[in-house]
Amino acid sequence: CSKEDDIPPPSAYVPPVVDTSSCVFLNIVPEITVEALDFECEGPAEFTFFGEKDGFLSINYAENPSTGGINESEKAVEIVQSTDIEPWAGFFVDLSSKIDFSSTQSIRMKVYSPAAGQTINMKIEDSTDGSLSTETSAMTTIANEWEELCFSFSTSDSDKFDRFVLFFNFQGAKDAETVHYFDD
């Protein structure tokens, strides 16, 4: 018999690189509320990756690649996907509480993508039972500029989900390294 190993693969938890030059950066367990999480001086301490069989994902708190327009902030979250990563690769972060959709049924997010026509998939799950989930997608319409994408949910999704899952270029070709950013 072989002994099962409960240790996750080395890439299952990678702490983000934190730049503390302009503020004391706080690692938090985020909460999705009406107010934006802007990543200027705080952000999740842990991201868990999946779909890295033949490639890798990395996440960093980085300088905004294009300040101005709809995103004046200095920092954003940078996601690097290597070649040969699974088409469904992504990451998740657990939230501090269940998401309340009673007054607002959407999550808006600013995205900076290397290409137009890429699917960004957002899934929300129950952290104790991943089979309890719902997901929605939005498509990027511009390359190398910030745009705001809207992910719609339902009031019936309220108080059920406390895990936030993102997939960049969902089910798209992974034949070149890509860098995406998201914010607010």
Side-chain angles (χ1 to χ4, degrees), residues 8-29:
S11 62
Y13 165 67
V14 178
V17 175
V18 177
D19 177 358
T20 59
S21 61
S22 62
C23 63
V24 176
F25 193 90
L26 300 174
N27 287 319
I28 61 166
V29 178

Side-chain angles (χ1 to χ4, degrees), residues 41-84:
C41 292
E42 65 182 18
E46 296 183 28
F47 293 90
T48 303
F49 305 117
F50 51 86
E52 296 181 288
K53 179 180 171 222
D54 295 321
F56 71 88
L57 281 167
S58 70
I59 292 182
N60 297 297
Y61 296 110
E63 296 297 319
N64 181 341
S66 178
T67 9
I70 67 166
N71 194 352
E72 297 285 334
S73 68
E74 293 180 22
K75 303 283 182 199
V77 179
E78 174 189 66
I79 300 98
V80 179
Q81 297 182 25
S82 74
T83 59
D84 300 326

Side-chain angles (χ1 to χ4, degrees), residues 111 113 115-121 136-142 147-151 169-170:
V111 173
S113 174
Q118 292 191 341
T119 300
I120 310 299
N121 195 64
T136 184
S137 296
M139 181 98 40
T140 61
T141 61
I142 53 178
E147 68 180 310
E148 187 172 76
L149 301 179
C150 182
F151 301 88
N169 194 20
F170 184 61

Side-chain angles (χ1 to χ4, degrees), residues 119-171:
T119 300
I120 310 299
N121 195 64
M122 182 182 291
K123 182 177 183 181
I124 51 177
E125 300 177 343
D126 180 299
S127 64
T128 60
D129 183 355
S131 68
L132 301 174
S133 66
T134 187
E135 58 190 280
T136 184
S137 296
M139 181 98 40
T140 61
T141 61
I142 53 178
N144 301 316
E145 288 183 43
W146 285 103
E147 68 180 310
E148 187 172 76
L149 301 179
C150 182
F151 301 88
S152 297
F153 295 95
S154 164
T155 55
S156 65
D157 295 327
S158 273
D159 303 319
K160 294 180 181 178
F161 307 111
D162 60 351
R163 177 170 283 164
F164 181 73
V165 188
L166 280 173
F167 309 80
F168 284 84
N169 194 20
F170 184 61
Q171 299 295 357

Side-chain angles (χ1 to χ4, degrees), residues 1-19:
C1 294
S2 65
K3 184 178 177 182
E4 284 195 23
D5 186 357
D6 289 341
I7 300 172
S11 62
Y13 165 67
V14 178
V17 175
V18 177
D19 177 358

